[in-house]
Amino acid sequence: MEQGTARFGFVHKTFQEYFASCWIVRKAVENFNLDPVKEKLQVHINDAHWEETLHLTVAGLPITQQVRIVNWIMEEVDPWGVEDLTYSAHTFSMRYLGEHCKNFSQEYVIEKALDYLAWHIRAWSILSSTKYLYSMVVPGLENFTNESVLERLGLNLVETFQTVKSYQNEPIITITRLKIKAHLVLSALVALAENPENSESLRRSCASALG
């Protein structure tokens, strides 16, 4: 549809986002080079107007290139660096893995993402947006089977609960949801369940997680 002199747009923004992502992907694929994708991510990853376009762009790449891009995002951003850029990179990675985790066989990428998630929860636990970040990635892990990674996640979740009370029972519920049965995690849950100073609802959540 016409938007002005020699300017045209789309009836719905989704079409614009889709075609923009196709153009970026085509440039990357035709030149066997991920630089066009990286350039857009570096410039726009902190721009909400580009969020869907960037997600569609990465999803449009071959799976091996998707892994490279997500891994690159997590390696490029220093978790102790610029706060707004760090959060945007984390949000992008967590949302992407939450939606596409089942397609990733490279467990080191997921393992790194979980480490970032644990750091982010501790560093920015008071933000409602961090709870959103937390909720995005967990559903994508329900079929994840690497026991050592899940054990570390479980321990991180227990520690998170003990240090970040604003999360209430969410970490314990997540342990149940992901069926984490590592011995150290279960021992920590037993200690929480047996502590009379904890709330009744928490103790019930721990009992449920213990089965």
Side-chain angles (χ1 to χ4, degrees):
M1 57 182 291
E2 191 170 357
Q3 295 183 331
T5 305
R7 293 186 62 189
F8 297 87
F10 297 90
V11 175
H12 197 285
K13 186 181 177 182
T14 302
F15 293 109
Q16 180 175 325
E17 293 167 337
Y18 171 73
F19 287 119
S21 70
C22 288
W23 183 82
I24 300 169
V25 170
R26 189 174 69 229
K27 285 190 66 176
V29 172
E30 286 179 351
N31 295 298
F32 300 99
N33 192 326
L34 290 174
D35 285 348
V37 179
K38 292 180 178 180
E39 288 169 6
K40 296 300 181 186
L41 284 164
Q42 285 176 322
V43 174
H44 299 293
I45 198 168
N46 200 34
D47 186 345
H49 296 292
W50 274 78
E51 182 178 357
E52 291 303 322
T53 300
L54 295 178
H55 275 277
L56 289 169
T57 297
V58 178
L61 294 169
I63 187 64
T64 54
Q65 306 310 313
Q66 292 181 36
V67 173
R68 287 180 59 189
I69 284 293
V70 173
N71 194 47
W72 173 79
I73 292 171
M74 291 187 290
E75 287 182 343
E76 284 293 304
V77 179
D78 178 3
W80 299 103
V82 181
E83 294 173 6
D84 56 351
L85 182 60
T86 299
Y87 181 74
S88 297
H90 284 183
T91 302
F92 187 94
S93 302
M94 294 303 105
R95 177 187 162 188
Y96 193 82
L97 288 171
E99 293 176 356
H100 301 278
C101 184
K102 294 176 183 177
N103 298 330
F104 278 64
S105 59
Q106 290 79 358
E107 293 181 342
Y108 70 90
V109 177
I110 299 173
E111 186 172 357
K112 185 183 297 182
L114 293 179
D115 286 341
Y116 269 53
L117 178 63
W119 170 85
H120 209 288
I121 288 173
R122 291 197 184 92
W124 303 105
S125 60
I126 61 173
L127 300 179
S128 60
S129 51
T130 301
K131 292 190 177 183
Y132 172 64
L133 184 75
Y134 174 89
S135 68
M136 283 191 294
V137 71
V138 169
L141 296 171
E142 290 190 353
N143 295 316
F144 189 56
T145 58
N146 186 310
E147 292 185 5
S148 63
V149 175
L150 289 175
E151 177 180 13
R152 190 163 78 248
L153 174 61
L155 291 172
N156 280 335
L157 289 169
V158 171
E159 184 179 345
T160 296
F161 170 79
Q162 293 171 330
T163 57
V164 185
K165 297 301 182 182
S166 62
Y167 268 76
Q168 299 177 356
N169 296 350
E170 291 173 25
I172 311 303
I173 294 170
T174 299
I175 290 172
T176 306
R177 184 172 181 176
L178 298 182
K179 300 180 176 65
I180 300 175
K181 297 296 184 182
H183 176 71
L184 291 175
V185 177
L186 297 182
S187 296
L189 291 178
V190 169
L192 287 173
E194 292 179 345
N195 186 344
E197 295 183 2
N198 289 327
S199 67
E200 188 65 30
S201 62
L202 169 64
R203 298 174 71 183
R204 282 198 300 267
S205 295
C206 290
S208 176
L210 290 165

